[in-house]
């Protein structure tokens, strides 16, 4: 990795550590810098190891407790321990394969005891278990596990589709509940508004009838005082006849072409007056009873 050497000297770059042997036997570790060797005494640089953090991605396919096949993508970050670089150099021929094998073993022993939902919720616990177990084993070979990240959990495509459909159905069900509650509140408010409207309308009609009754009574009393010899009944008949002709006049001046046939003989006018008078007296009596 960019290290230079000749027969008598070798330069070990920063971030690396060298392994020095004498006659094929480990002698010492060479720190970064310039090192001079005596080849005639059998001393030479056997190899160089990087002490930088390395990353290894491991994809594992396994089955959960509820019989769902999933793929887990783990990212393992490890490095060579400087003090034990000789163990890393001599003990493991292919550290990546060894780490991958241990990760497979731990994950496939732990995940089958968890349901799929628990696996998504506790993926950090899975990574922690892998870190603890792998750290115990790989530490004896001069390596240190820095971090283990559970990058992704990928269920079978059919399972993912089913999970999405279940989630969508639950959300639709919840939306239906909220919609029903909203419609219920709307209907209650509409009924309350209608009841209040009818109540206010009834109050308005009662006040209108009371106002008409009071106005007629004042007119009758005023007319009786000003015109001597007239009775209340005669004044009432006169008012009814006047209102009757005013109504006919309004119908005639209307812009519409609707024709209304109204009996207009003296007897009919008297009957209409009696009906209006009786209605007003009944309204006045009802208003007095309410009060």
């Amino acid at each position: 990795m960019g290290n230079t050497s000749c027969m008598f000297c070798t330069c070990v770059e920063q971030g690396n550590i060298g392994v020095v042997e004498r006659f094929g036997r480990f002698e010492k570790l060479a720190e970064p810098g310039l090192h001079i060797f005596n080849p005639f005494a059998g001393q030479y640089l056997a190899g160089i190891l990087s002490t930088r953090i390395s990353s290894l991605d491991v994809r594992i396919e396994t089955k959960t407790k509820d019989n769902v096949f999933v793929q887990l993508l783990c990212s393992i970050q490890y490095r060579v321990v400087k003090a034990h670089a000789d163990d890393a150099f001599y003990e493991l021929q292919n550290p990546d394969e060894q780490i991958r094998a241990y990760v497979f073993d731990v994950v496939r022993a732990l995940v089958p005891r968890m349901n799929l939902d628990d696996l998504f919720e506790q993926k950090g616990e899975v990574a922690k278990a892998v870190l603890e177990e792998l750290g115990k084993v790989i530490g004896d070979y001069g390596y240190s596990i820095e971090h283990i990240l559970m990058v992704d959990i990928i269920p079978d495509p059919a399972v993912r589709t089913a999970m999405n459909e279940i989630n969508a159905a639950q959300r639709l069900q919840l939306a239906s509940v909220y919609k029903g509650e909203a419609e219920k509140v709307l209907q209650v408010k509409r009924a309350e508004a209608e009841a209040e409207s009818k109540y206010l309308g009834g109050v308005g009609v009662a006040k209108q009838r009371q106002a008409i009754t009071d106005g007629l009574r004042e007119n009758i009393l005023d007319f009786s005082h000003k015109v001597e010899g007239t009775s209340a009944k005669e004044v009432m008949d006169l008012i009814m006849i006047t209102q009757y002709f005013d109504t006919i006049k309004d119908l005639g001046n209307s812009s519409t072409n609707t024709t209304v046939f109204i009996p207009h003989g003296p007897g009919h006018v008297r009957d209409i007056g009696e009906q209006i008078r009786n209605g007003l007296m009944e309204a006045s009596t009802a208003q007095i009873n309410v009060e």
Side-chain angles (χ1 to χ4, degrees):
M1 298 187 59
N3 299 285
T4 59
S5 64
C6 63
M7 182 178 295
F8 300 102
C9 64
T10 299
C11 182
V12 179
E13 292 186 352
Q14 188 68 33
N16 298 307
I17 192 166
V19 179
V20 181
E21 293 182 353
R22 183 188 293 271
F23 295 114
R25 183 182 179 86
F26 172 75
E27 182 180 49
K28 65 177 181 178
L29 296 174
E31 294 287 341
L34 179 64
H35 297 272
I36 299 175
F37 303 104
N38 184 3
F40 300 102
Q43 190 180 48
Y44 64 96
L45 184 66
I48 295 176
L49 294 175
S50 174
T51 57
R52 299 182 181 92
I53 294 178
S54 300
S55 180
L56 175 64
D57 292 334
V58 181
R59 185 178 294 271
I60 311 158
E61 185 175 5
T62 184
K63 185 178 69 171
T64 61
K65 185 178 180 179
D66 47 356
N67 297 321
V68 178
F69 283 92
V70 294
Q71 289 187 1
L72 288 83
L73 181 60
C74 298
S75 179
I76 296 94
Q77 297 177 355
Y78 67 97
R79 71 193 311 167
V80 173
V81 180
K82 288 184 179 181
H84 303 285
D86 54 332
D87 293 332
F89 185 78
Y90 292 107
E91 297 293 336
L92 290 181
Q93 183 177 3
N94 192 336
D96 288 354
E97 290 299 325
Q98 294 292 334
I99 292 174
R100 184 178 284 108
Y102 283 118
V103 173
F104 267 79
D105 182 67
V106 175
V107 171
R108 287 182 172 175
L110 182 62
V111 172
R113 293 181 291 178
M114 305 172 64
N115 292 325
L116 182 61
D117 293 338
D118 297 335
L119 178 60
F120 276 99
E121 294 175 0
Q122 303 176 18
K123 67 177 184 177
E125 297 297 326
V126 176
K128 183 179 179 181
V130 175
L131 176 62
E132 292 177 355
E133 189 66 26
L134 189 59
K136 295 177 184 178
V137 177
I138 209 70
D140 297 335
Y141 299 107
Y143 287 91
S144 172
I145 305 299
E146 300 295 326
H147 300 286
I148 293 182
L149 303 176
M150 194 65 62
V151 179
D152 200 3
I153 300 174
I154 308 173
D156 185 84
V159 176
R160 296 175 63 181
T161 302
M163 292 175 63
N164 291 334
E165 291 178 354
I166 292 173
N167 194 353
Q170 290 176 346
R171 293 182 181 276
L172 288 174
Q173 183 180 6
L174 185 60
S176 299
V177 172
Y178 284 134
K179 183 178 180 180
E181 292 293 332
E183 291 179 353
K184 177 181 177 181
V185 172
L186 184 62
Q187 290 180 359
V188 171
K189 293 299 181 181
R190 187 184 293 114
E192 292 177 354
E194 185 177 358
E196 184 70 17
S197 175
K198 290 181 178 180
Y199 170 76
L200 295 176
V203 173
V205 171
K207 290 183 178 180
Q208 180 184 16
R209 291 176 178 176
Q210 180 64 34
I212 293 174
T213 303
D214 294 341
L216 290 175
R217 182 172 60 251
E218 291 177 1
N219 290 334
I220 293 172
L221 293 176
D222 184 64
F223 192 87
S224 299
H225 288 304
K226 291 182 179 180
V227 180
E228 297 182 356
T230 58
S231 63
K233 182 178 182 305
E234 293 174 345
V235 175
M236 193 67 180
D237 291 339
L238 179 61
I239 292 174
M240 293 298 104
I241 293 173
T242 303
Q243 291 182 347
Y244 174 76
F245 284 108
D246 289 340
T247 301
I248 294 178
K249 181 179 178 181
D250 292 337
L251 291 175
N253 294 331
S254 177
S255 60
T256 61
N257 296 324
T258 303
T259 302
V260 179
F261 294 95
I262 300 176
H264 54 277
H268 293 294
V269 174
R270 188 179 303 107
D271 293 339
I272 294 173
E274 292 291 339
Q275 293 175 9
I276 296 175
R277 187 185 305 107
N278 292 335
L280 293 174
M281 292 177 65
E282 291 177 359
S284 178
T285 304
Q287 182 67 25
I288 294 174
N289 293 333
V290 170
E291 294 177 354

